[in-house]
Amino acid sequence: MAAQLLSTSVHDTVPGQYVRPESQRPRLGEVVAGARIPVVDLACPDRAALVSAVGGACRSHGFFQVLNHGIDAGLIAAVMAVAREFFRLPPEEKAKLYSDDPARKIRLSTSFNVRKETVHNWRDYLRLHCHPLDQFVPDWPSNPPDFKETMSTYCKEVRALGFRLYEAISESLGLEAGYMGNTMGEQEQHMAVNFYPPCPSPELTYGLPAHTDPNALTILLMDEEVAGLQVLNGGKWVAVNPQPGALVVNIGDQLQALSNGEYRSVWHRAVVNSDRERVSVASFLCPCSDVELGPARKLVTEETPAVYRNYTYDEYYKKFWSRNLDQEHCLELFRT
């Protein structure tokens, strides 16, 4: 099965199982290249201005880039380096971690859900569960030798950043600073280390097709030299060009539900290119599986009734993984 990994060989053509029907292709020539992307400086000394900037970005775009986030540049460089090193390991080494079972806590796989898809995506990825770290790190890859230490240090830093962002997001909705963090219980944390090899015909396929994230908050470490993330804004696909030292934050489905639809879980996709490989590291904060979720009571009024019913994250996540990635927004299944 590990032979399915794209990172085990060089491709001169796009195999048929990766070619999208013409109506579903990315149409790269129509992508908006120079759009203004919200950027939030987390070192801003004016708390009200910072909270307003976060709220404005969540409302208008569903995502933003953050500067001065507090994660050391040296650590970020080390994370990207060890990620590339992992995907350059010999096929037999990577085969030890391969699985196409979405229930596996630690697995190397390809595409999105190869058991269900009719067309595959031009991506390999290493999926890691990250919290609590002492429970999962022993089973993480031992090769490269510094993988466990580098990635676990980054996991702790990015989790702390996520909870800082939760506070600003809560305040921007007129809720107590601790609302989002507390409401979702002892949150799980996952990571996807993504590898997008060069693709001979990028216009025929996707790294990942359009989707929203099922979790609460995603913090993405992008390749600064190779762009590939695109978001849907105003009915058009917009290229996200990474700023040096920035991380990309996007609202997931659970924050859309908790905000009673005021904030948007952004549709986004990953495209590939013919010249260079691309690496990204996505960190996901996820509600506790059995906690009940739904619109914050303070945001439900006669004028703004509840948009979504209450549910558990376990119920939501199972529905998400039972579908294809590019089907309609999973939250539509939970509308009142």
Side-chain angles (χ1 to χ4, degrees):
M1 293 294 287
Q4 294 187 58
L5 292 171
L6 290 163
S7 55
T8 59
S9 59
V10 176
H11 300 270
D12 297 322
T13 60
V14 177
Q17 65 266 34
Y18 293 90
V19 177
R20 293 269 161 183
E22 190 167 350
S23 62
Q24 298 176 15
R25 293 175 187 173
R27 298 181 183 177
L28 299 175
E30 298 177 12
V31 175
V32 179
R36 294 190 62 183
I37 304 298
V39 177
V40 177
D41 184 350
L42 295 183
C44 175
D46 185 336
R47 180 67 180 180
L50 189 154
V51 167
S52 177
V54 168
C58 292
R59 193 172 286 109
S60 65
H61 287 73
F63 81 103
F64 50 96
Q65 296 194 60
V66 290
L67 298 172
N68 294 313
H69 42 70
I71 301 180
D72 183 75
L75 174 59
I76 285 177
V79 167
M80 295 298 279
V82 80
R84 292 183 190 281
E85 193 177 349
F86 173 82
F87 282 102
R88 289 171 181 157
L89 291 173
E92 59 271 18
E93 183 73 17
K94 289 186 286 192
K96 299 174 185 176
L97 291 166
Y98 184 86
S99 173
D100 61 6
D101 179 4
R104 286 278 302 269
K105 302 291 187 183
I106 297 160
R107 65 190 179 101
L108 174 65
S109 196
T110 189
S111 192
F112 173 71
N113 189 347
V114 293
R115 292 182 175 183
K116 288 186 63 63
E117 297 163 345
T118 55
V119 181
H120 297 325
N121 306 309
W122 201 262
R123 172 186 81 141
D124 290 347
Y125 64 99
L126 177 65
R127 184 86 180 192
L128 304 172
H129 279 229
C130 309
H131 184 79
L133 276 169
D134 57 2
Q135 181 178 331
F136 295 114
V137 169
D139 295 324
W140 285 8
S142 297
N143 195 8
D146 55 346
F147 185 93
K148 290 180 179 179
E149 181 178 356
T150 299
M151 288 299 191
S152 59
T153 301
Y154 179 72
C155 281
K156 287 184 278 190
E157 294 284 331
V158 84
R159 184 178 181 87
L161 172 60
F163 278 83
R164 285 171 56 203
L165 291 166
Y166 276 152
E167 292 185 352
I169 290 167
S170 297
E171 290 176 49
S172 70
L173 288 164
L175 304 170
E176 304 80 24
Y179 182 85
M180 294 299 178
N182 295 333
T183 297
M184 290 184 279
E186 184 61 25
Q187 294 188 55
E188 294 186 10
Q189 182 179 351
H190 307 162
M191 176 186 288
V193 185
N194 301 307
F195 180 81
Y196 304 95
C199 176
S201 300
E203 68 280 0
L204 299 181
T205 190
Y206 286 103
L208 278 175
H211 65 284
T212 65
D213 289 343
N215 51 291
L217 194 70
T218 300
I219 300 175
L220 180 68
L221 171 55
M222 288 204 299
D223 193 320
E224 289 189 5
E225 297 181 3
V226 186
L229 174 66
Q230 297 176 353
V231 300
L232 190 63
N233 186 251
K236 295 182 179 180
W237 286 103
V238 174
V240 180
N241 298 311
Q243 291 203 15
L247 295 170
V248 176
V249 178
N250 74 262
I251 299 298
D253 294 352
Q254 306 317 311
L255 287 186
Q256 179 168 325
L258 288 166
S259 72
N260 200 28
E262 190 167 337
Y263 291 171
R264 305 186 310 153
S265 178
V266 65
W267 285 92
H268 55 289
R269 66 186 191 181
V271 297
V272 291
N273 69 82
S274 59
D275 302 320
R276 304 178 66 181
E277 69 186 33
R278 176 173 168 262
V279 172
S280 69
V281 180
S283 297
F284 309 103
L285 287 179
C286 315
C288 179
S289 62
D290 59 359
V291 73
E292 188 170 77
L293 302 167
R297 290 182 182 178
K298 190 173 180 180
L299 303 179
V300 177
T301 67
E302 288 187 9
E303 293 77 25
T304 56
V307 178
Y308 306 104
R309 68 170 175 86
N310 287 3
Y311 55 86
T312 64
Y313 186 60
D314 183 61
E315 179 187 2
Y316 193 92
Y317 201 62
K318 285 176 178 175
K319 284 191 184 298
F320 181 86
W321 274 98
S322 70
R323 306 157 73 249
N324 287 332
L325 188 63
D326 52 358
Q327 283 182 268
E328 69 171 353
H329 200 310
C330 192
L331 263 180
E332 293 300 309
L333 304 177
F334 295 84
R335 279 189 173 271
T336 52

